[in-house]
Amino acid sequence: MNSTSTQFVPSRRMGLCEPMPQVGMWNDYKENNCLHTSLPVLEVDTRFDNQSEDTSHGTVGPSNKYDQEDSKPVDKVMRRLAQNREAARKCRLRKKAYVQQLENSKLRLMQLEQELERARHQGSYIGGGLDTGQLGYSGTTNPGIATFEMEYGHWVEEQNKKIADLRNALYSDIGDVELGMFVDGGMRHYFDLFAMKATAARADVFYLMSGTWKTSAEHFLSWIGGFRPSELLKVLMPHLEPLTEQRRLELSNLRQSCQQAEDALSQGLEKLHQILSETVADGQLGEGNYLPQISAAMEKLEDMVRFVGQADYLRQETLLQISRNLTTRQTARGLLALGEYFQRLRALSSLWASRPRGSA
Amino acid sequence: MHYQTESWNSYLPTKSPTTDSLQLIQRLAAENAVVIFSKSTCCMCHAIKRLFSGMGVNATVYELDEDPREKEMEKALIRLLGSSSAVPVVFIGGKLVGAMDRVMASHINGTLVPLLKEAGAIWL
């Protein structure tokens, strides 16, 4: 909107929808006060000049009203009408802009509330996975992933409770049978997670592999979407002592078997990487027609789901095998150590995320 | 690890194709200590081959996609396993072990190595 719009314009075509009480009023006023027309003219004009915003830019300046008397009342009328229309138009535009802004803010607020809910569900630990910037992830457009994010948040909360309960149980006087129940519950909770991940992998395996649902430290140390079984054994071993020589040997063999299985899966995944690249790059690059390559590549992507599944299956079997070789109390200690290990990783991620920036 | 590249057409009997294939598979499986049915493009097959070679096992590999009877072999293996993917499948000492998950599980629970030793595939 510029000041030129306040110039005198022919009113007929513009003013059809405008109510025009002022015209009649003006005419009546004029007719009834013909001896004092100069005075009302001055007053009215001043008032209108103050009300319309930018007539002071002077295209139809105040100086005019001192010159005019009865001779050109129509001009003044037209001018005032134009200014009125302009003011009304600007007012409507401002109102429209304001409403639009309100609507946008409302949408933004709803979005933020949703993200906050999700973040809250992500865990009761400080920060949780927020440091990995997952608030902005478009997982909300995939219902399977949105479900997984929510369920995983609950899983972590539940996990923290289970660890606390297990700790209390271990340091209390309860018998092996009762302790065994805590152990079983703890193991099953991990298996629940593997089942959740299997469902999520079918929804979006890339999301699962990207690790955005985990905290940053956990993701850094992960292997094919979760913990590395051989590494797990290394963490647990000291906490399972005292061990007989035979048990120690068994666990050492288990660790070696895990390592071999991990290497095999890793190499399989590398081969998939290579094949996928070859499939996508197949044929003539540059002709703009690549539907056959993309279709072929889609099949390869399905293999990713199998690998994630095998990795979780390896984790499950390792956990089961560990418990088979140990007493209830040893397994309980092992589970506690494992649980707290991941708690520490999550805490590390939070601390890292909240460290003061800009320090040398 | 050595690969069978000869054509198997000379084994063609006259009965139904799937039964033929099953018999063929079983016959081939009995011929070596460790037999893997695979496809050259299958990445899980690559993983299972790596697992055995990493353990020092010299497995015999049949690549289905390099054989004209691929389709029937595939169907027979799917029937045998009861799963949706035909490969990889592992036989040790002529007996069916299974797909990747079974092989991995048996390695983790310590039954794979004794099985391999029994079949003469590895020596301590």
Side-chain angles (χ1 to χ4, degrees):
Chain A
M1 245 177 288
N2 50 32
S3 54
T4 52
S5 61
T6 59
Q7 276 174 347
F8 174 78
V9 286
S11 63
R12 296 289 179 270
R13 60 183 169 81
M14 279 175 58
L16 287 173
C17 325
E18 303 276 344
M20 296 202 202
Q22 293 98 330
V23 180
M25 196 172 74
W26 175 249
N27 283 340
D28 287 343
Y29 201 71
K30 264 204 71 247
E31 281 160 23
N32 297 333
N33 299 277
C34 42
L35 288 176
H36 307 288
T37 46
S38 55
L39 208 49
V41 171
L42 279 170
E43 281 178 52
V44 172
D45 277 345
T46 317
R47 206 165 54 241
F48 272 91
D49 271 339
N50 286 341
Q51 281 175 6
S52 61
E53 288 164 45
D54 43 9
T55 48
S56 54
H57 291 304
T59 44
V60 190
S63 52
N64 286 348
K65 60 178 181 274
Y66 298 102
D67 298 330
Q68 292 173 2
E69 297 190 7
D70 314 336
S71 52
K72 292 184 185 172
V74 182
D75 288 350
K76 287 206 195 53
V77 171
M78 291 308 142
R79 198 188 91 194
R80 195 170 38 74
L81 289 176
Q83 285 170 355
N84 254 11
R85 272 192 297 277
E86 201 44 50
R89 187 172 81 94
K90 282 184 199 153
C91 187
R92 277 194 304 279
L93 281 168
R94 278 201 307 280
K95 182 182 171 186
K96 194 172 161 197
Y98 178 64
V99 170
Q100 188 63 42
Q101 200 187 36
L102 275 181
E103 292 285 318
N104 289 345
S105 297
K106 186 179 106 177
L107 275 173
R108 183 71 191 133
L109 184 64
M110 272 165 57
Q111 253 177 4
L112 283 171
E113 276 177 348
Q114 254 179 8
E115 286 175 4
L116 193 61
E117 263 305 298
R118 253 191 303 142
R120 224 180 266 129
H121 281 300
Q122 282 285 342
S124 52
Y125 46 87
I126 314 156
L130 296 182
D131 51 311
T132 59
Q134 58 184 291
L135 276 184
Y137 183 77
S138 60
T140 42
T141 60
N142 184 333
I145 297 304
T147 306
F148 174 76
E149 283 188 331
M150 193 188 69
E151 285 180 350
Y152 181 67
H154 292 149
W155 187 89
V156 175
E157 278 176 25
E158 189 59 36
Q159 181 70 353
N160 290 336
K161 269 189 231 136
K162 281 187 151 53
I163 291 169
D165 289 345
L166 187 58
R167 192 181 292 119
N168 290 336
L170 255 177
Y171 296 130
S172 74
D173 269 336
I174 64 171
D176 268 8
V177 173
E178 225 186 307
L179 186 61
M181 278 165 48
F182 283 101
V183 168
D184 282 341
M187 296 281 273
R188 256 182 288 117
H189 203 227
Y190 282 108
F191 302 158
D192 287 345
L193 178 61
F194 299 146
M196 272 165 52
K197 284 169 72 185
T199 311
R202 285 189 289 277
D204 185 354
V205 68
F206 286 128
Y207 169 80
L208 212 59
M209 290 285 281
S210 75
T212 48
W213 51 281
K214 282 189 262 153
T215 62
S216 42
E218 283 176 299
H219 180 56
F220 179 68
L221 294 181
S222 74
W223 166 82
I224 312 187
F227 62 80
R228 192 182 271 272
S230 58
E231 209 170 87
L232 188 92
L233 274 161
K234 198 168 91 177
V235 166
L236 288 194
M237 287 277 273
H239 304 276
L240 302 174
E241 299 285 355
L243 289 167
T244 63
E245 264 320 297
Q246 193 204 359
R247 285 277 173 264
R248 199 173 291 118
L249 186 64
E250 279 169 2
L251 286 169
S252 165
N253 287 341
L254 176 60
R255 184 154 163 237
Q256 193 187 34
S257 306
C258 285
Q259 210 127 48
Q260 286 168 335
E262 287 160 21
D263 287 344
L265 285 178
S266 295
Q267 289 182 60
L269 209 51
E270 259 177 53
K271 181 88 194 254
L272 179 58
H273 185 129
Q274 180 199 320
I275 287 186
L276 186 65
S277 179
E278 284 171 8
T279 306
V280 170
D282 188 31
Q284 287 281 56
L285 276 167
E287 291 194 340
N289 168 37
Y290 41 72
L291 203 53
Q293 286 83 4
I294 305 299
S295 308
M298 283 288 280
E299 276 179 49
K300 301 293 167 220
L301 292 183
E302 292 299 324
D303 276 351
M304 283 279 281
V305 181
R306 289 178 81 189
F307 274 97
V308 173
Q310 284 300 329
D312 274 345
Y313 186 66
L314 181 63
R315 290 174 189 117
Q316 182 177 292
E317 291 301 301
T318 305
L319 283 172
L320 281 170
Q321 185 64 13
I322 293 173
S323 69
R324 270 180 216 127
N325 285 346
L326 301 172
T327 65
T328 309
R329 199 147 284 270
Q330 278 172 324
T331 313
R333 267 189 277 133
L335 272 178
L336 181 60
L338 183 61
E340 197 181 293
Y341 176 66
F342 290 117
Q343 275 179 333
R344 290 187 188 182
L345 284 178
R346 289 194 278 267
L348 175 63
S349 306
S350 298
L351 195 59
W352 175 255
S354 61
R355 76 197 186 282
R357 316 296 161 115
S359 43
Chain B
M1 182 158 318
H2 51 281
Y3 292 73
Q4 298 293 90
T5 50
E6 65 203 57
S7 159
W8 303 327
N9 286 337
S10 51
Y11 297 127
L12 263 176
T14 50
K15 297 191 287 282
S16 93
T18 321
T19 330
D20 299 344
S21 308
L22 264 172
Q23 284 178 352
L24 176 62
I25 287 166
Q26 265 147 11
R27 187 148 32 121
L28 292 171
E31 285 179 1
N32 291 94
V34 179
V35 175
I36 305 177
F37 290 94
S38 155
K39 276 189 206 174
S40 58
T41 55
C42 165
C43 299
M44 200 52 85
C45 302
H46 183 82
I48 220 172
K49 290 177 214 166
R50 278 278 168 266
L51 179 62
F52 283 110
S53 62
M55 293 165 67
V57 172
N58 188 21
T60 308
V61 180
Y62 292 98
E63 303 283 7
L64 293 193
D65 55 332
E66 287 164 9
D67 185 273
R69 298 189 59 187
E70 178 187 357
K71 285 277 154 39
E72 288 101 42
M73 305 280 288
E74 233 183 308
K75 263 190 254 169
L77 284 169
I78 288 175
R79 273 240 321 249
L80 201 60
L81 282 181
S83 87
S84 53
S85 35
V87 289
V89 181
V90 174
F91 288 81
I92 299 179
K95 282 184 281 212
L96 173 68
V97 175
M100 179 54 123
D101 50 353
R102 285 261 51 81
V103 171
M104 253 185 4
S106 64
H107 193 31
I108 295 303
N109 69 28
T111 56
L112 186 64
V113 168
L115 208 60
L116 287 168
K117 281 192 193 160
E118 206 186 303
I122 51 172
W123 305 271
L124 186 58

